[in-house]
Amino acid sequence: MKRISIFKNFNYNLVAVLVSNAVFAFGISILSRKLGPVAFGEVNSFIAFIAMFLPLIIHGSSTYYMREYSKNDNEEEIKRFFNYTLLLFILLTLVFSIFFTFSKMYEISMLAKIIYVILICFSQAIDLQWVYRAKEATQKIAICLSVTSVINLCLVLVFLPVMTPEIYLYLVGFTKVLNSVLIIIVEKSYRKYFTFIILSFTSILKFKPIKGFFPVLILSLSGLLNLVYIKSDLVMLSYFGFDLEAGYYSSAYTIITLVFIIRATLLSVLMPSLIKTYNKNIFDFQERLTVYLKVGATLGIIVTGLIYFSNELIVSILFGQLYLEAIPVLNILLIMNLIVFFNMGLSASLVAIGKDKEFLFATLLAATLNIVGNFIFIPYFNMYAAAITTLLSELTIIIMSLIILHQGIYDINIVKVFIKNIIQFCLFGFIAVFITVVEQQYLQDTLNVYILQIINSIIFVSIFMFLILISKKITKPEISLLMRVYK
């Protein structure tokens, strides 16, 4: 694979994300109307429940082996990746199958639940996207993601007349596996990778030890805990009997999830070069970290402002008038979304410097805060409690990340670098919000609400970008850093 610049990698990934998000949004829009808030909330609660445990397969393994592969380009890391992920695939499939055999947690059919678990866990176990990201050559990921997204939409449309939660789960599981298989097939070494998969199953049956198992498990637990306090909201709303609110919350969080995909894509593109610079030159590391913080802040504020000023329009288009009750929760989650974007450079840095155990403790603290808060407050404040506890959990993560990095990197004042960049961008965001709100007061009685929201969004982004340009907070050398390939 030919290594390309961060900018080109991001562009390829952005195209794929836009295609997949557009297709996903259209499919969800159709599905939410077909099923209604209660059934829509249940199927998303089930998906969220399974998703909480998927980091045990893919999060730690992809992060750890990408970090090792970025250092030495050794394909043995790919073999070790399969050894770990396929073992976890087998274990999780067995655990979930036993659990759903005796549990009546969801009204979805037993067969659909088990088949979905098998498909989704296997798709994660053979997902080699991290290899392309480590090699900083993500064109093929973009192509595969776009193709499978379109296939998924076509299948949704074909089965729409008879759509049920069970059929939807089959379609999602199938397209996830298809995407992972395509990513392997489009690489020249695909035969070698399939051989690795077969050898890994053989190795598991012989109970051979897996190199790097415990470091990977620690990273996986961090990812698990992170998803626990994100996905457990839906599960707990259903558990306490707030099925309608679970539907509203699911619609709001679906919008945030679409944004998270952009953030996750950008993070995965930035991480390999951050790992390389940290291991070679600490000053190059600081330079890149500063740029990544600025990029994260810029995208976070733009996306948050766009959704906030057009929230009614977005909810109406995606889910219909029945879901407008989700807007207050969506606005709370938007603040959480902004914090997640601010934390992007910090999360990548923690991986780069190998602070896996410390990050596990941070996510454990955040997950505990979320779960305890949900158990105490959801019975009284339903979906609003879920949104606020998730926001507080993300604040905990960013504070702990700063503490860990400050103690782990002595040559750079991480806290100073972070605060200096984030506060300046937040100030520009507040100014843009203030001017947009003032403009809204003058126009709200004369324009249709949807037209007004479109105008507000355009004005907000224009003002924010204008302030960045005239202040030169993102310089030409920083832009060129994103354009060149790091050797």
Side-chain angles (χ1 to χ4, degrees), residues 145-170:
L145 188 57
S146 300
V147 169
T148 51
S149 298
V150 173
I151 291 173
N152 183 45
L153 177 60
C154 292
L155 290 172
V156 168
L157 293 175
V158 168
F159 287 96
L160 184 60
V162 292
M163 184 63 71
T164 62
E166 287 81 4
I167 292 175
Y168 180 68
L169 291 176
Y170 295 146

Side-chain angles (χ1 to χ4, degrees), residues 238-301:
S238 296
Y239 174 79
F240 284 111
F242 294 108
D243 295 326
L244 181 62
E245 288 79 3
Y248 293 145
Y249 191 89
S250 179
S251 64
Y253 209 91
T254 297
I255 296 171
I256 298 299
T257 301
L258 294 173
V259 178
F260 274 5
I261 294 173
I262 298 175
R263 181 257 184 189
T265 299
L266 181 59
L267 181 61
S268 64
V269 169
L270 301 179
M271 196 180 296
S273 63
L274 207 58
I275 293 170
K276 289 183 176 69
T277 52
Y278 179 76
N279 286 283
K280 292 181 179 180
N281 189 316
I282 192 67
F283 298 107
D284 283 349
F285 173 81
Q286 180 176 353
E287 180 186 31
R288 286 181 176 265
L289 174 59
T290 301
V291 175
Y292 298 168
L293 287 172
K294 291 181 178 181
V295 170
T298 301
L299 287 177
I301 292 171

Side-chain angles (χ1 to χ4, degrees), residues 307-328:
I307 297 175
Y308 174 76
F309 284 112
S310 57
N311 49 23
E312 188 173 339
L313 175 63
I314 293 172
V315 172
S316 298
I317 291 174
L318 288 180
F319 305 103
Q321 298 289 318
L322 284 174
Y323 291 84
L324 290 178
E325 294 292 327
I327 289 177

